[in-house]
Structures are given as structure tokens and as C-alpha cells.
Amino acid sequence: MNSVTLPVLLDPRRTRMAQAVLAFLALVAPAEAQTRGLFRIERSTNRNVVEYDLRLSRDGAPDPKDPVSVYWIMLEEGGRREGLTFFERQFAYGVDVSAGRDGLVLHVAALRDRPIHVRRRGERWEAQTMIAGHLATLRRIWVQADGGVLGPGVKFVEVTGLDVESGRVRTERIASH
């Protein structure tokens, strides 16, 4: 063990300073920055994922101006974030958001016929949808694609979540049209 670095790591002055900096950052961070991960889309074409986050206001409710944040996590490029392109928003990963009776209703562009309800359950907000005939908390959408002349074609989509009643994993495969 290096006796020179150990006292530096345990130095109470440094610990107090770090705590003070973190407390200050918590006070000045904008309320819009508070988000909760809802679900993600993963694809067979590479490791990059599309993340769907719920943006919360100061009172813990969905931000009325812009409640859902959708972005790429470019795992193939070190994990940096990147916004969606116009075509990605319109035809694949974009989301339409509307008010529901107990939260929000989301429609992902590529799965418009499958509403996703964002509801508070206990202390958490969850994205819930029907999976294999059961109400489930959505965790992941998998897109199985193959190479095509005009780009990848979707073979099928798998929707996976946790059954709201039993907690069991539910998966449903949706064939491409």
C-alpha cells in the first residue's frame, strides 16, 4: 500500500470540500435536468441504443413543457450522447406525447399502435404497456434487423418488461409487416 496516497484519500478537508461542491451543484442545477430512465431501444445492427427518459419538474411531476427526452447513447463511440435526426424522429424512434388520465401517453413512431402509459407507481414513474396480454412495466424494445439494399430492414421487434401484478418477465415478438 502506498502510504503517501492513503492520507490524501482520507483527508477530512478534501471530503468536506467535495461535499460542499456537490451540495452547491444540487442547488444550482436546473429543475429540467432531473430525469428518470423509462426504457430503451436496442438493435441488432450495433450496440448503440436509444434512451427514453422522463423529464421531471421541481415538484416531481412530468415537465409540462417537454416531458420526454429521447436520445442516442453511442456505445460504439465511447458512450457519448447524440440527438435523433429528423428522419429518426419521424419514422422510427421519435415519440408523440399526450396527457393521459393518470400521467402521459406515449406513441413511439415505429410502434404507433402500441400506447405506452407513463404512470406513477409508488414513488416511481414507470412506462407501462400491454406485453403478451399482460400489463407490464416496459424495459426494452429489441429491433432485429437485416441488411437491405436501401438500408437495414426490420425482421421483428421484441418488447420486454416486468408484469405489473406478478413481477415476471414478459416478452412479446411482433413480426414486421
Side-chain angles (χ1 to χ4, degrees):
M1 176 182 281
N2 186 341
S3 62
V4 175
T5 58
L6 184 58
V8 171
L9 292 174
L10 299 176
D11 184 347
R13 293 172 297 186
R14 288 181 184 251
T15 303
R16 282 194 301 274
M17 177 59 92
Q19 289 171 338
V21 168
L22 289 174
F24 174 75
L25 291 174
L27 288 173
V28 299
E32 299 82 54
Q34 186 180 9
T35 60
R36 298 288 183 260
L38 290 174
F39 62 94
R40 67 176 26 182
I41 295 180
E42 300 174 353
R43 307 165 313 136
S44 62
T45 55
N46 60 39
R47 295 180 341 165
N48 299 335
V49 298
V50 179
E51 189 75 28
Y52 294 77
D53 290 346
L54 180 64
R55 192 175 285 124
L56 299 173
S57 62
R58 213 179 273 278
D59 65 356
D63 183 325
K65 296 176 196 155
D66 190 17
V68 178
S69 175
V70 183
Y71 54 91
W72 284 100
I73 299 177
M74 307 302 282
L75 296 173
E76 296 280 326
E77 300 172 22
R80 69 176 174 81
R81 283 186 177 193
E82 183 176 296
L84 301 179
T85 67
F86 172 80
F87 289 105
E88 290 168 343
R89 281 192 309 275
Q90 295 301 311
F91 301 111
Y93 309 114
V95 64
D96 290 328
V97 181
S98 58
R101 62 183 162 88
D102 56 354
L104 302 172
V105 179
L106 311 181
H107 291 274
V108 175
L111 294 171
R112 292 215 188 274
D113 59 342
R114 187 172 295 248
I116 300 166
H117 298 268
V118 178
R119 301 178 173 121
R120 183 172 233 142
R121 189 164 140 206
E123 295 299 312
R124 294 185 44 115
W125 286 93
E126 296 181 346
Q128 299 176 349
T129 193
M130 296 301 289
I131 300 176
H134 300 268
L135 183 62
T137 300
L138 180 61
R139 293 289 188 234
R140 174 180 102 137
I141 298 172
W142 171 262
V143 179
Q144 183 67 41
D146 59 4
V149 176
L150 299 175
V154 175
K155 292 177 72 173
F156 64 85
V157 173
E158 259 182 17
V159 182
T160 303
L162 298 176
D163 189 299
V164 170
E165 296 295 320
S166 70
R168 292 179 51 199
V169 174
R170 299 284 180 196
T171 301
E172 180 180 351
R173 183 174 287 192
I174 304 165
S176 179
H177 303 352

